[in-house]
Amino acid sequence: MRCGPRPWALVVLMFKSTLEICRIHSNINAVEGEPFYLKYCSYLSEHKNETAPPKWYRNVSHGPMELSSHSSPRITLHDYVLEFWPVELDDSGPYFLQLGHHTHEWKLNVIRRSKDSCYAEKQVTSKTVEVGKTLLVRCEDSYYQKLVNRTSLYKNCKEMNDTSSSLKKNAEFKDQGYYTCMFIIHRNGKPFTVTKTYNITIVEGHSNVVPAILGEDLNHVGVELGKDVELNCSAVLNEKGLIYWDIHNDSGNAHEEKETRHKSSKGKWSVSRILKIENINEKNLNVFYNCTVFSEKGIDTKSFILLKKDHPDIPGHVFTRGMIIAIWLSGAVVCLVIVGVIYRVDLALFYRRFMGRDETLTDGKTYDAFVSYLKECQPENGEEHSFAVETLPRVLEGRFGYKLCIFERDVVPGGAVVDEIHSLIEQSRRLIVVLSKSYMSNKVRYELESGLHEALVERKIKIILIEFTPVNDFTFLPQSLKLLKSHRVLKWQADKSRSYNSRFWKNLLYLMPAKTVNPYREESKVLPLLPHC
Ligand SMILES: *[C@@H]1O[C@H](CO)[C@@H](O)[C@H](O)[C@H]1NC(C)=O
Ligand SMILES: *[C@@H]1O[C@H](CO)[C@@H](O)[C@H](O)[C@H]1NC(C)=O
Ligand SMILES: *[C@@H]1O[C@H](CO)[C@@H](O)[C@H](O)[C@H]1NC(C)=O
Ligand SMILES: *[C@@H]1O[C@H](CO)[C@@H](O)[C@H](O)[C@H]1NC(C)=O
Ligand SMILES: *[C@@H]1O[C@H](CO)[C@@H](O)[C@H](O)[C@H]1NC(C)=O
């Protein structure tokens, strides 16, 4: 009988065959506990006409030992065949068959059966199947065929109940695994199991790569007019596959670049090809740019559409413009702040008038300011006198509706001067001190210090200093006065300060408490109403 000359032919199971399989190879594995046989391939013999029957020997330590049916209850011999029912670990070793002068030897290696597995790893037949091709596992045992009672197929030692004893399908990656055919055979009423295991590996096809472009079918690409864009078409192809851009209806500013190819796995190539569109114009927008890959296995196309970007990146000139605007704005803000500082008095006054603010309603004080002009031994018609007694009240009382307490004007001489001054200052919201060169006297000092005490210690009164004549030497002033902020010192400049709108009066109003009074009251209406403080 003829058997396949190639090694894998020894365990052919994928092919239906009625041939009984002889053992051509000299090294043979068997699995512990399974029926096993050795069969001489009789076509190899040049001694076909040999009349003497073949003899079987086993080489043991002291030399060859002829085997007979009596050697072991597990052994049977028929001419060219030696059978084990079943084979055991200690059956391992060299065996030979003698045919006349000719001998043929095998080395039998019995593999220990694994406890955890339905197959012995050393006794698997590996087979590689390309994905998409037919995977065929057919459980047939040509030698034991007639004895087989039942056949079942296991995948990774789990019985496949959806197939009988064979599997035929298009290979998928998930089909990879160990497939074990299990034959239950009966001999003399005793069951035996023979297994055949295939290690099936599913691989990528060599030739059947279906061309595919990566990414979405339709890609929207945001662009800016006048700029360039590169569309990257990348795909998986086989070696002969083509990749190209379809640009025949383009306005001429698009061109394909050379493709780049990298072999990624068996027969598979990663290919990409760029379409460069330069100086994008309106005609490039909202049209299809199609990339196509093509091979004998199929075709794939993906489309790209250019859309005008909603929020383009800030280009250089816009950026510069933005910077200029930003600088200009911050400059403007700085100017505003400076103007605000310079005109804060006007702004504050405007704000007061606008808001109708009045600080004088709730503090329970009688006077808006106590005026101290601080000259006792000077003639009453001196400049300070007329400023304090005439000019100040004319403006503050007559025009702006404040109520002043001017000691020299309003307080009748005599009386308990010191106590009276103190209580008058307490009743006033501001202490206006008119400073001049010869500002000094005990009464004046008292007024001042009393006010300073209120201002600095009790924080009940604010002091306004008016420098009536330039004062170079302030050393005569009490130390505490120097703690007052300099802006509270107003300089009277006889020529410039006369107008109601002059800075002097504005500053003075600013330092005076906010009061809602019709500022344009007639002097005559006010003066008679002046109370005597
Ligand atoms: C073997 O026998 C056949 C006939 O059965 C004969 O034709 C052949 O010559 C013989 N060969 C040898 C080597 O004796
Ligand atoms: C089964 O086949 C795979 C792939 O060829 C191989 O890596 C693995 O070692 C094989 N397993 C056995 C038990 O031979
Ligand atoms: C298989 O074995 C069982 C039990 O020994 C027997 O009843 C049955 O007929 C056998 N089937 C075949 C096909 O030999
Ligand atoms: C195009 O895309 C592919 C895949 O993402 C990448 O490998 C390739 O470098 C890209 N080509 C260019 C020029 O960016
Ligand atoms: C590009 O593909 C789109 C569909 O994706 C199709 O409608 C259009 O006709 C194609 N254009 C060209 C020039 O092939």
Side-chain angles (χ1 to χ4, degrees):
M1 253 178 257
R2 208 188 149 76
C3 59
R6 281 185 284 173
W8 46 262
L10 293 178
V11 275
V12 169
L13 267 175
M14 296 269 184
F15 312 111
K16 190 178 167 81
S17 167
T18 53
L19 293 177
E20 292 185 359
I21 308 299
C22 64
R23 307 284 191 189
I24 189 173
H25 274 252
S26 49
N27 282 311
I28 302 238
N29 288 336
V31 180
E32 174 196 6
E34 293 191 3
F36 183 73
Y37 68 92
L38 285 175
K39 184 178 180 186
Y40 177 64
C41 295
S42 52
Y43 66 89
L44 294 171
S45 175
E46 310 115 40
H47 308 280
K48 276 178 186 154
N49 296 355
E50 201 65 62
T51 47
K55 285 182 176 173
W56 284 93
Y57 294 88
R58 179 180 182 187
N59 262 346
V60 287
S61 48
H62 52 269
M65 181 186 79
E66 193 180 347
L67 298 172
S68 73
S69 303
H70 307 294
S71 310
S72 160
R74 294 186 287 106
I75 287 176
T76 59
L77 302 159
H78 333 267
D79 295 338
Y80 296 118
V81 181
L82 170 65
E83 288 182 344
F84 297 83
W85 295 95
V87 72
E88 295 297 352
L89 284 177
D90 57 7
D91 293 328
S92 290
Y95 290 80
F96 60 91
L97 176 132
Q98 189 169 36
L99 203 57
H101 299 292
H102 173 79
T103 58
H104 189 91
E105 190 176 313
W106 295 268
K107 278 209 178 70
L108 178 60
N109 175 37
V110 181
I111 300 162
R112 189 179 290 279
R113 178 170 289 281
S114 154
K115 285 194 187 82
D116 317 318
S117 180
C118 60
Y119 57 89
E121 284 199 359
K122 284 185 188 161
Q123 191 63 338
V124 299
T125 306
S126 291
K127 193 169 160 58
T128 300
V129 180
E130 273 183 23
V131 69
K133 295 244 166 113
T134 306
L135 167 66
L136 178 62
V137 180
R138 188 178 284 161
C139 292
E140 278 181 2
D141 188 297
S142 44
Y143 186 80
Y144 294 110
Q145 201 175 11
K146 289 185 187 109
L147 301 172
V148 171
N149 181 300
R150 192 166 69 86
T151 305
S152 38
L153 178 61
Y154 290 74
K155 182 185 178 188
N156 298 327
C157 295
K158 272 191 196 139
E159 185 160 12
M160 302 180 71
N161 39 16
D162 56 334
T163 55
S164 52
S165 62
S166 65
L167 173 70
K168 185 180 181 184
K169 70 191 291 284
N170 282 339
E172 294 171 69
F173 283 108
K174 67 177 170 67
D175 294 328
Q176 182 157 312
Y178 293 91
Y179 290 82
T180 305
C181 293
M182 221 168 260
F183 307 97
I184 310 293
I185 53 186
H186 281 260
R187 182 172 176 272
N188 301 334
K190 211 177 159 199
F192 293 90
T193 307
V194 174
T195 61
K196 292 278 157 85
T197 300
Y198 302 94
N199 174 14
I200 306 260
T201 307
I202 310 291
V203 294
E204 300 254 17
H206 288 217
S207 55
N208 57 351
V209 177
V210 177
I213 301 175
L214 308 178
E216 303 289 318
D217 282 347
L218 183 57
N219 301 277
H220 294 280
V221 181
V223 294
E224 283 174 65
L225 296 181
K227 294 276 168 129
D228 302 347
V229 72
E230 287 187 350
L231 304 178
N232 185 356
C233 178
S234 62
V236 179
L237 275 178
N238 65 19
E239 196 169 359
K240 289 179 193 156
L242 301 174
I243 182 168
Y244 56 89
W245 282 95
D246 204 346
I247 46 169
H248 55 262
N249 60 353
D250 184 75
S251 50
N253 54 353
H255 57 87
E256 276 182 297
E257 303 207 330
K258 277 216 172 75
E259 65 179 60
T260 58
R261 262 175 198 262
H262 302 283
K263 194 166 187 173
S264 61
S265 60
K266 285 177 198 162
K268 209 172 170 185
W269 294 77
S270 285
V271 185
S272 64
R273 190 158 202 178
I274 300 281
L275 179 71
K276 190 166 185 181
I277 304 170
E278 288 172 328
N279 191 12
I280 296 163
N281 59 45
E282 292 281 351
K283 281 187 195 165
N284 299 123
L285 302 177
N286 303 313
V287 295
F288 284 111
Y289 288 94
N290 293 354
C291 175
T292 300
V293 287
F294 174 82
S295 79
E296 70 274 17
K297 284 284 172 183
I299 184 164
D300 190 23
T301 297
K302 301 251 150 106
S303 304
F304 291 74
I305 291 181
L306 305 189
L307 298 173
K308 220 194 259 182
K309 227 186 237 178
D310 289 339
H311 304 288
D313 298 335
I314 300 172
H317 62 280
V318 173
F319 183 74
T320 324
R321 206 183 297 157
M323 283 298 283
I324 289 169
I325 289 172
I327 290 169
W328 189 87
L329 273 178
S330 36
V333 167
V334 168
C335 287
L336 271 178
V337 169
I338 291 170
V339 167
V341 169
I342 291 173
Y343 290 99
R344 72 181 188 287
V345 168
D346 304 69
L347 289 172
L349 292 179
F350 173 79
Y351 176 77
R352 273 186 200 176
R353 211 176 305 148
F354 181 75
M355 297 299 288
R357 246 181 98 217
D358 196 332
E359 293 169 17
T360 64
L361 297 175
T362 52
D363 60 2
K365 294 191 174 184
T366 315
Y367 308 107
D368 293 310
F370 180 93
V371 179
S372 161
Y373 78 98
L374 314 170
K375 281 237 175 152
E376 213 174 19
C377 42
Q378 287 285 316
E380 293 224 331
N381 52 6
E383 280 180 291
E384 292 96 332
H385 181 84
S386 62
F387 174 75
V389 179
E390 291 166 19
T391 315
L392 267 184
R394 191 180 71 239
V395 178
L396 290 183
E397 293 180 333
R399 188 167 175 86
F400 297 110
Y402 288 108
K403 204 157 128 194
L404 303 181
C405 177
I406 305 172
F407 193 83
E408 277 70 15
R409 178 189 75 181
D410 302 320
V411 180
V412 279
V417 172
V418 167
D419 289 347
E420 220 172 329
I421 288 175
H422 186 80
S423 76
L424 288 172
I425 288 177
E426 265 187 1
Q427 284 297 304
S428 304
R429 300 184 179 95
R430 299 286 185 274
L431 170 63
I432 298 177
V433 180
V434 182
L435 297 171
S436 64
K437 278 176 211 155
S438 45
Y439 171 95
M440 211 26 69
S441 80
N442 284 338
K443 179 186 139 283
V444 155
R445 181 172 279 275
Y446 179 75
E447 280 176 17
L448 185 58
E449 287 186 348
S450 173
L452 283 175
H453 179 79
E454 294 263 318
L456 297 172
V457 181
E458 297 177 22
R459 296 184 184 280
K460 283 183 190 160
I461 190 165
K462 287 177 184 158
I463 295 188
I464 303 169
L465 297 178
I466 297 176
E467 201 181 301
F468 182 72
T469 53
V471 178
N472 302 319
D473 179 17
F474 279 92
T475 49
F476 65 89
L477 288 174
Q479 277 295 315
S480 50
L481 200 59
K482 292 178 185 146
L483 296 172
L484 290 174
K485 291 178 203 150
S486 61
H487 73 254
R488 290 195 182 275
V489 180
L490 305 179
K491 285 196 168 74
W492 172 259
Q493 286 161 304
D495 40 346
K496 287 188 196 164
S497 303
R498 296 221 181 267
S499 156
Y500 293 146
N501 287 324
S502 71
R503 196 122 293 274
F504 174 83
W505 291 115
K506 280 183 181 165
N507 287 344
L508 183 56
L509 283 182
Y510 174 66
L511 295 176
M512 290 295 284
K515 191 167 190 173
T516 49
V517 177
N518 179 6
Y520 300 106
R521 254 191 289 189
E522 283 299 310
E523 219 171 312
S524 54
K525 284 184 193 162
V526 180
L527 279 176
L529 296 176
L530 264 180
H532 278 247
C533 48

mmCIF file of all heavy atoms in Angstrom, residues 121 124 126 178 199 201, ligand 2:
data_model
loop_
_atom_site.group_PDB
_atom_site.id
_atom_site.type_symbol
_atom_site.label_atom_id
_atom_site.label_comp_id
_atom_site.label_asym_id
_atom_site.label_seq_id
_atom_site.Cartn_x
_atom_site.Cartn_y
_atom_site.Cartn_z
ATOM 1 N N GLU A 121 0.656 18.288 24.199
ATOM 2 C CA GLU A 121 1.169 19.399 23.397
ATOM 3 C C GLU A 121 2.189 18.957 22.355
ATOM 4 O O GLU A 121 2.300 19.551 21.291
ATOM 5 C CB GLU A 121 1.785 20.467 24.306
ATOM 6 C CG GLU A 121 0.726 21.292 25.000
ATOM 7 C CD GLU A 121 1.259 22.609 25.516
ATOM 8 O OE1 GLU A 121 2.465 22.872 25.343
ATOM 9 O OE2 GLU A 121 0.458 23.360 26.087
ATOM 10 N N VAL A 124 0.718 17.598 18.636
ATOM 11 C CA VAL A 124 -0.262 18.374 17.886
ATOM 12 C C VAL A 124 0.294 18.621 16.486
ATOM 13 O O VAL A 124 1.501 18.667 16.278
ATOM 14 C CB VAL A 124 -0.604 19.724 18.564
ATOM 15 C CG1 VAL A 124 -1.200 19.489 19.940
ATOM 16 C CG2 VAL A 124 0.584 20.638 18.617
ATOM 17 N N SER A 126 0.428 21.293 13.640
ATOM 18 C CA SER A 126 0.172 22.717 13.450
ATOM 19 C C SER A 126 -0.236 22.989 12.023
ATOM 20 O O SER A 126 0.306 22.401 11.084
ATOM 21 C CB SER A 126 1.425 23.519 13.797
ATOM 22 O OG SER A 126 1.644 23.433 15.180
ATOM 23 N N TYR A 178 -6.858 25.085 19.374
ATOM 24 C CA TYR A 178 -6.512 23.660 19.314
ATOM 25 C C TYR A 178 -7.783 22.864 19.074
ATOM 26 O O TYR A 178 -8.732 22.955 19.859
ATOM 27 C CB TYR A 178 -5.845 23.226 20.620
ATOM 28 C CG TYR A 178 -4.493 23.877 20.822
ATOM 29 C CD1 TYR A 178 -4.370 25.075 21.510
ATOM 30 C CD2 TYR A 178 -3.349 23.286 20.298
ATOM 31 C CE1 TYR A 178 -3.127 25.673 21.682
ATOM 32 C CE2 TYR A 178 -2.096 23.874 20.462
ATOM 33 C CZ TYR A 178 -2.001 25.064 21.146
ATOM 34 O OH TYR A 178 -0.777 25.652 21.303
ATOM 35 N N ASN A 199 -3.250 22.225 15.814
ATOM 36 C CA ASN A 199 -2.995 23.592 16.308
ATOM 37 C C ASN A 199 -3.230 24.516 15.124
ATOM 38 O O ASN A 199 -2.409 24.627 14.235
ATOM 39 C CB ASN A 199 -1.536 23.644 16.801
ATOM 40 C CG ASN A 199 -1.114 25.024 17.208
ATOM 41 O OD1 ASN A 199 -1.945 25.910 17.372
ATOM 42 N ND2 ASN A 199 0.194 25.209 17.366
ATOM 43 N N THR A 201 -3.638 27.989 13.374
ATOM 44 C CA THR A 201 -3.299 29.407 13.490
ATOM 45 C C THR A 201 -3.890 30.120 12.283
ATOM 46 O O THR A 201 -3.719 29.675 11.161
ATOM 47 C CB THR A 201 -1.773 29.594 13.508
ATOM 48 O OG1 THR A 201 -1.231 28.753 14.524
ATOM 49 C CG2 THR A 201 -1.398 31.030 13.776
HETATM 50 C C1 LIG B 2 0.563 26.393 17.848
HETATM 51 O O1 LIG B 2 0.877 27.248 16.780
HETATM 52 C C2 LIG B 2 1.381 28.478 17.149
HETATM 53 C C3 LIG B 2 1.594 29.296 15.912
HETATM 54 O O2 LIG B 2 2.257 28.584 14.922
HETATM 55 C C4 LIG B 2 2.688 28.275 17.906
HETATM 56 O O3 LIG B 2 3.174 29.531 18.332
HETATM 57 C C5 LIG B 2 2.427 27.408 19.110
HETATM 58 O O4 LIG B 2 3.642 27.140 19.781
HETATM 59 C C6 LIG B 2 1.806 26.133 18.671
HETATM 60 N N1 LIG B 2 1.480 25.335 19.859
HETATM 61 C C7 LIG B 2 1.972 24.107 20.068
HETATM 62 C C8 LIG B 2 1.541 23.425 21.330
HETATM 63 O O5 LIG B 2 2.725 23.584 19.287
#
